[in-house]
Amino acid sequence: MMPAEGSISTLVAGLWLLNIVLDTGGQLAFKAAAGDEAAGDGLARWKHMASRPWLWLGVASYVIEFLVWIAFLSLIPLSEGVLLGSINIVAIMVAGRFLFGEKLTRLRVTGILLVTLGVAIVGLGT
């Protein structure tokens, strides 16, 4: 059964949401790996990060996300897919705020709202 004209199929929506989860999870895992204060400096830092699961969780998230992204783009025009993918920035910024205490300034919140509005407009037009 084909979706109505101007709507996104369940498969496309599912792939889009999975992409958001994987991209956000990967970024958060990389931040957790890079932000470990016990890591030291230079080569010792890289060795420490490579021995921790966060780095590898991030890599695995990105590998799976790559496959999901290709599947997503096979079902939707590139121009729409890239714009819909922009919501990842919002998810990462909000998650960074809650998990790492990163600041969300008024300017960043304005950016989040504008990106969200843009993704909503693109989503309505597909």
Side-chain angles (χ1 to χ4, degrees):
M1 186 166 158
M2 295 296 292
E5 182 75 26
S7 67
I8 295 177
S9 74
T10 304
L11 177 58
V12 170
L15 289 169
W16 180 52
L17 292 173
L18 186 55
N19 176 266
I20 294 167
V21 168
L22 289 167
D23 187 48
T24 303
Q27 288 287 348
L28 295 172
F30 288 143
K31 177 65 176 176
D36 189 348
E37 294 179 14
D41 292 324
L43 184 58
R45 179 177 196 77
W46 284 99
K47 286 181 180 179
H48 179 79
M49 286 191 296
S51 71
R52 309 295 293 166
W54 291 117
L55 178 70
W56 302 109
L57 179 61
V59 170
S61 292
Y62 267 36
V63 168
I64 298 167
E65 181 200 4
F66 170 76
L67 298 173
V68 169
W69 184 247
I70 295 298
F72 177 71
L73 288 180
S74 73
L75 299 171
I76 194 164
L78 178 62
S79 60
E80 292 173 18
V82 170
L83 290 171
L84 289 172
S86 298
I87 200 70
N88 293 359
I89 297 166
V90 173
I92 292 164
M93 288 178 70
V94 171
R97 168 69 180 108
F98 287 107
L99 295 175
F100 299 109
E102 295 182 352
K103 292 183 180 180
L104 288 180
T105 63
R106 286 184 187 169
L107 192 56
R108 288 182 184 172
V109 170
T110 300
I112 286 172
L113 294 174
L114 290 171
V115 169
T116 304
L117 178 62
V119 169
I121 290 169
V122 171
L124 291 173
T126 57

